[in-house]
Amino acid sequence: MEFPRASAPPTSRPDVPRTGGVQSLTRAFGLLETLAEAGGEAGLSELADRTGLAPATIHRLVRTLVDLGYLRQLPSRRYTLGPKLVGLGETAAQQFGRWATPVLADLVAEIGETANLAVLDGDRAVYVAQVPSPHQMRMFTEIGRRVPVHCTGVGKALLSALPPAEASAIVARTGLPAVTRTTITDPEVLDRELAVARERGYVLDEGEQEAGVRCVAAPVTGPHGSAAVSVSGPLSRMDDAAVARIAPLVVAAGRRLGTLLATA
């Protein structure tokens, strides 16, 4: 096979732009992230305002993403995240969960309670990994279960890792419905709790999702997306002394996972 000389002009391909390919890819992924931050649905003008890109550029990117199945146009002519992202997200979450399991196993060996890993998926937390406690009486959460962010340890940890304005936007969209008598239903109270969590590095779930269960959770800080690690158990074993011992270990596990994620 004969290759062109270095001085020859590049061959044109209709499906790959001759220039700006990396920029277009960056913009396309940025557009998907912007749409997710907007709650998963937005119009062209809103996307242009949020990204600072020209409307014509937004239109080209959106049409391409719609054609590929990564976006979907609604009858209202607004756009929402497309079905093709679901499979990618589920596979990525499963891989992330498998990768994180050894860290969770070490945490269970140290603490003796069930350890979980969750990621932020839209406005909810979804569990992607769990290592159960060796106790007969233990907490169990189905992998793939989606839970509210305002009344779960992992959910509040995920909120604490977000900029306050972004966390408030999620809460405004989802509301604060009561699940148990200890669920936080006042936005100001939740804001104060998240502010404390940002300072000390962890949050508590005081039976806010399930009565009689206490949970310690910490964010997994890394360069790509949000995750949270938690340890949960019955209140009879998760007293204040246990929480004081467990909290630093959960925070350390979150940092360890973040470091591994950054270097993976």
Side-chain angles (χ1 to χ4, degrees), residues 12-30:
S12 175
R13 286 181 55 191
D15 58 331
V16 178
R18 289 174 56 178
T19 59
V22 173
Q23 183 185 60
S24 296
L25 188 63
T26 300
R27 286 176 170 176
F29 278 110

Side-chain angles (χ1 to χ4, degrees), residues 9-258:
T11 303
S12 175
R13 286 181 55 191
D15 58 331
V16 178
R18 289 174 56 178
T19 59
V22 173
Q23 183 185 60
S24 296
L25 188 63
T26 300
R27 286 176 170 176
F29 278 110
L31 194 62
L32 292 174
E33 292 174 356
T34 298
L35 190 58
E37 291 168 1
E41 181 183 325
L44 287 176
S45 59
E46 184 180 350
L47 290 172
D49 289 341
R50 284 174 173 266
T51 61
L53 296 174
T57 301
I58 292 288
H59 187 264
R60 286 196 300 271
L61 291 170
V62 162
R63 290 315 312 165
T64 299
L65 291 169
V66 168
D67 290 343
L68 293 172
Y70 296 112
L71 289 183
R72 182 167 59 92
Q73 188 174 27
L74 302 173
S76 63
R77 302 190 66 80
R78 290 166 65 81
Y79 293 89
T80 186
L81 297 175
K84 202 165 184 179
L85 290 170
V86 175
L88 291 177
E90 289 178 350
T91 301
Q94 290 169 3
Q95 292 292 334
F96 184 37
R98 283 195 287 268
W99 167 81
T101 295
V103 177
L104 300 183
D106 288 346
L107 197 56
V108 173
E110 287 184 280
I111 295 171
E113 302 294 349
T114 298
N116 306 285
L117 183 72
V119 298
L120 188 63
D121 182 20
D123 290 344
R124 287 183 166 254
V126 57
Y127 289 98
V128 296
Q130 181 182 84
V131 175
S133 163
H135 294 287
Q136 286 188 338
M137 181 177 160
R138 60 194 179 194
M139 303 303 104
F140 174 77
T141 298
E142 183 181 356
I143 302 303
R145 181 186 177 197
R146 294 166 58 85
V147 294
V149 291
H150 74 288
C151 60
T152 55
V154 289
K156 291 193 290 183
L158 288 165
L159 289 177
S160 74
L162 297 174
E166 191 173 336
S168 295
I170 291 176
V171 171
R173 289 193 296 268
T174 62
L176 300 173
V179 181
T180 70
R181 64 179 182 81
T182 58
T183 301
I184 296 174
T185 57
D186 185 332
E188 292 185 1
V189 174
L190 182 61
D191 285 344
R192 288 196 294 270
E193 180 165 334
L194 295 179
V196 171
R198 292 182 182 106
E199 290 183 4
R200 69 184 182 186
Y202 68 92
V203 299
L204 295 177
D205 167 7
E206 301 283 12
E208 298 157 46
Q209 169 73 7
E210 186 175 349
V213 175
R214 203 175 195 191
C215 174
V216 183
V220 175
T221 54
H224 307 297
S226 298
V229 60
S230 72
V231 165
S232 56
L235 188 58
S236 59
R237 294 199 301 262
M238 296 282 284
D239 58 16
D240 290 345
V243 168
R245 177 179 64 87
I246 289 170
L249 299 175
V250 175
V251 172
R255 289 174 179 165
R256 181 182 169 193
L257 283 166

